[in-house]
Amino acid sequence: MTPPDVPEPRPGSDAPVLPAAVVTTATSGHLETTLHEVVRAAVDQVGAVFGALGVLSDGGRRLDRLVVVGADAAEAARISALADRQTVHQFVSAPAVLRWDQMDIDPERFGFPPGHPARGPFLAVPVRVGGALFGNLYLTQKDAAQPFTSADVEVVQALAGVAGLAIGNARAAEQAERGRRQFQAGTEIVTSLLSGAGEEDVMRAMADRVLELAEADLAGVLCPTDDDGVLVVAAAAGEDAADIEGVRIPLEATHVGNVHRSRRPTVIDDVGADPVLGRHAEVAVEITRHLGPGLMIPFEQPPTKGMVVAMRRRGREPFEVGPHHPLVAFVTRTALALELARSQARERRLQRQADRDRIARDLHDHVVQRIFATVLSLDRLSRSLEAGQPSIASRLGRTIDELEATIAEIRSAIFELHEDDVTAPSVRGRLSDVVRMVTEGSPLRRDLRLRGALDDLPREIVPDLVAVVRELVSNVVRHAAAKRVTVSVDVDDEVRVTVTDDGTGLPEVHARSGLANLADRAERRGGRLVVSSGPDGTEVRWTVPRPRR
């Protein structure tokens, strides 16, 4: 519908000049502020009651947002929220005066009662950025309730053209700032890794950064396990992050598996959809129940085979990430640094073991041999003095006993130096193996969640930890008649093992006998064993203070 009352353009009329506030915000890279200033300038130029800029999503099918300026700031904010993510009914490519009935929309839906300024016909002018349609600038009736004239259209159209340049500049500045933050985030993580920071702390920082940079609701870092068919969520950030840390994600019948095999960054419209026709792993279904758009970026540096996953709530806009996006570069660079840090850690462990072997060899070949020679000399002297000076011979005998005890302690230290085998399986690997072996051949679905620095635990607690997990999972397999078991091992100030099942509970006689050993193990370390059982299943929690090295 063309605007009414179209007079000839006024000769010598000047194009409107953007206010200084618009220019300032555009050059400083504040896109949202620039959009508000553009709408404010249009409202002031024609004397409208309300103005709005409807910004298209990148796909052009929905409103990304509606930036509203009006006499009442609260009313403007209310309208903006109502229009968020609405399906586009009509966007104009040329100036037009539109009516609600043309677009088949009831203005009551947006809370516009009879007599509201936004109910009447409104002027819509396209705003283009770089030749592409960015959105429409809408203006309601004037303060004086007069219709829009072609002079108004001319002014607003010229303003929209200049505003498109300002918006383009602000968008470019914002993208440059986002790229700078992503590069800085990568640099900080790489620096902390190479400075000796703990791998788990770095991965948690990585998840936090991905959550922020991708504007996601949930982000996680997935790492390989001893099982080639599973990745584990090593760190997570965002909504329900604590619940998914340590969860093992199978590569079969999951989007994670598809991306892991493709080795390419992938945008997924709906992570809840079946990755394979009619098949979707149950653990993935549970995690993605309320999530929609997903982004998965695999680590590209072999032998590292993990990935970063970011997800948004269902109904939010999809991710827009290409192969050369700064976020992909951030993940790739961090993965490379992570692998380099692991290589350095392995090299340090090998060097430490070499040093221990050298120290053990020197202790045996030099210190022990010299002390042993001294013991032999003192022994001969003691025997020669037994007849004439028995008291001195007795004191020499006690000295010899102390030296022999010293030799035994040194030999024990040598044995311990050799005992620290750098190729020994990790605590995580041992626990995974135990759960897999105990449940093997059973229809029981297992869910193993390992959180915290398990591999930094002192050696003396590991046998107890493995024994507790083995006993509790065995109890579920033998007695619970359960369909699923969840094993969580958490390490912070305490070491906690929690085993939960959905079965019928433990037999009373077993509770008095089989769990007694586990309770004793906990009490010896100043901890406790707590059993909670009901019609919906059983939870057993074994907790002890974390030993210090």
Side-chain angles (χ1 to χ4, degrees), residues 444-486:
L444 195 66
R445 295 197 308 273
R446 60 179 183 267
D447 183 4
L448 177 61
R449 305 180 181 189
L450 306 176
R451 307 184 186 98
L454 275 83
D455 291 326
D456 292 338
L457 287 173
R459 187 185 311 154
E460 64 269 14
I461 195 176
V462 175
D464 277 354
L465 195 59
V466 172
V468 168
V469 170
R470 179 185 291 110
E471 176 67 20
L472 292 179
V473 176
S474 297
N475 288 344
V476 175
V477 173
R478 293 195 304 266
H479 304 289
K483 296 179 180 178
R484 181 170 184 171
V485 61
T486 300

Side-chain angles (χ1 to χ4, degrees), residues 264-267 297 300 320-329 332:
R264 294 177 183 174
T266 303
V267 172
I297 305 176
E300 295 181 355
E320 299 287 343
V321 176
H324 304 294
H325 193 277
L327 186 59
V328 177
T332 302

Side-chain angles (χ1 to χ4, degrees), residues 191-208:
T191 301
S192 62
L193 266 172
L194 300 182
S195 299
E199 186 176 314
E200 292 188 3
D201 293 336
V202 171
M203 285 194 289
R204 187 161 285 107
M206 188 177 180
D208 289 333

Side-chain angles (χ1 to χ4, degrees), residues 403-467:
L403 289 174
E404 288 178 341
T406 301
I407 291 174
E409 290 176 1
I410 292 175
R411 283 175 171 164
S412 177
I414 291 172
F415 176 77
E416 289 179 357
L417 287 171
H418 283 302
E419 191 182 41
D420 188 11
D421 183 5
V422 295
T423 63
S426 67
V427 178
R428 291 174 176 270
R430 291 178 64 180
L431 293 175
S432 298
D433 289 342
V434 164
V435 174
R436 186 176 64 252
M437 286 187 295
V438 172
T439 58
E440 195 169 13
S442 166
L444 195 66
R445 295 197 308 273
R446 60 179 183 267
D447 183 4
L448 177 61
R449 305 180 181 189
L450 306 176
R451 307 184 186 98
L454 275 83
D455 291 326
D456 292 338
L457 287 173
R459 187 185 311 154
E460 64 269 14
I461 195 176
V462 175
D464 277 354
L465 195 59
V466 172

